[in-house]
Each structure stands twice: as C-alpha cells, then as structure tokens.
Amino acid sequence: GLGGEQVEGRQAVRELLIAGRRKTREIWIANDIDANDVIDDIRELAEAVRVTVTDVPRKHIENTARSEAPQGIIAFAAPLPEIGIEELLESRNGVQPFLVAVDGVTDTGNLGALLRCCDGAGVTGVILPKHRAVHVTPTVAKTSAGAIEHVPMTLVPGLPVAITQMRDKGIWVVGL
C-alpha cells in the first residue's frame, strides 16, 4: 500500500487531524515541548475527534521516529487510502483530472516536496509506481507538510499503462 501509518512533525500531524480522512489511533507529544499555537491546535483537534494524546519523554519520540526531526510529535494512524486509477481519471464536480505521474523518485524528501507542490498547484491525483519508487514514509509525510492528507494517490504496476489510460481518456500528457 501507500503507507503513512506513522506521521511525524507538527504540521503533518495537524493536517492529519484536519483532513479526517483516516483514523488516528494515538498521538505522542514530548512532555518538554513548549506550548504554542500549533501544539494547542493539535490537542484541541485530537480531543474533538477523541484521539488519545499522550505526553511522553522526548527520548521516546526520538527513538521511535523514522524521520530526522520529528519536532517532538508522532501520530499513529491507519494507512493512507489508495484511490483506484480509474477514479483519478474521471472528472469530479466538473473539474478535469490534473494528474502527476511520478517516475524514479527514490528519495523520501523529494517525494514529500513534490506532493507539497502538487497540493499547492491543485493536482487532483498522483500516480506512483509500485516498484522502484519510494512510497509514503514518515519523512515523506513530514516533508509534504500534510499534503499527503489532501492529494489522492494511487499505486500502479507500471507507468506506461497508466499513461496510455490517461491518453485514452483525453488527458494531455506532458513529460518533464
């Protein structure tokens, strides 16, 4: 699947709760973290959807983290929902598909930054190959600043078939 079960970083966790697309089991916050608007917002959002927030030693977070700088917060959630490519190829609410097919991206930071750009540009879906590409890790989630919660994604066995499906639906294909 896409992954995304462990979300690290303040903005990524906040967006996980705001989007509400998937169940969040628990959130850990470092017990020495300074109170600020984002942390307060996370606590309020979690309480509103009945997600347990546990204050834990920072060392515990750092030992569990899989990204470089979890910013004193980790959320544990259900995996990201995968959307079928057929659904991504359809117009929704009169909006034509604006898709990005990602090929050969193996760096987690690069995929996260790409997803953040896609979210900002209004991309309606991202197509990722199942093999020889990175999927959603805690670093991708953190680098995307929560964009993983808002940009639908699908995994495909091969991009050439997906590109053919796009062309068959009349979607312009531009290679960069």
Side-chain angles (χ1 to χ4, degrees):
L2 289 169
E5 293 94 336
Q6 187 166 311
V7 178
E8 302 173 7
R10 296 173 188 192
Q11 191 61 32
V13 170
R14 183 175 176 270
E15 291 298 324
L16 168 70
L17 295 168
I18 288 171
R21 286 179 45 203
R22 54 198 178 119
K23 180 158 178 52
T24 304
R25 294 185 306 278
E26 184 178 16
I27 298 172
W28 292 351
I29 297 178
N31 56 10
D32 65 348
I33 205 162
D34 292 331
N36 62 53
D37 291 343
V38 175
I39 295 297
D40 293 344
D41 198 25
I42 289 169
R43 288 185 188 277
E44 287 174 19
L45 290 164
E47 184 179 342
V49 293
R50 298 188 145 160
V51 173
T52 302
V53 176
T54 306
D55 293 317
V56 299
R58 184 173 295 271
K59 195 72 170 164
H60 193 56
I61 288 176
E62 290 172 359
N63 289 339
T64 305
R66 293 188 291 159
S67 68
E68 235 175 82
Q71 300 174 318
I73 188 165
I74 297 177
F76 302 94
L80 281 164
E82 184 180 341
I83 307 299
I85 188 158
E86 299 80 17
E87 190 176 337
L88 290 182
L89 296 175
E90 296 300 322
S91 298
R92 279 182 267 162
N93 301 324
V95 176
Q96 294 296 313
F98 176 21
L99 307 173
V100 171
V102 179
D103 187 21
V105 175
T106 56
D107 181 84
T108 54
N110 288 344
L111 180 59
L114 180 71
L115 291 171
R116 192 173 64 237
C117 292
C118 288
D119 187 31
V123 167
T124 61
V126 173
I127 302 167
L128 299 166
K130 283 185 182 177
H131 307 290
R132 295 181 299 280
V134 69
H135 297 153
V136 180
T137 67
T139 300
V140 171
K142 183 174 181 290
T143 307
S144 81
I148 64 166
E149 306 302 333
H150 304 286
V151 178
M153 291 179 266
T154 191
L155 294 175
V156 296
L159 288 178
V161 172
I163 291 170
T164 299
Q165 288 175 295
M166 286 187 274
R167 285 188 177 132
D168 290 347
K169 286 283 194 175
I171 297 170
W172 287 7
V173 176
V174 178
L176 303 172

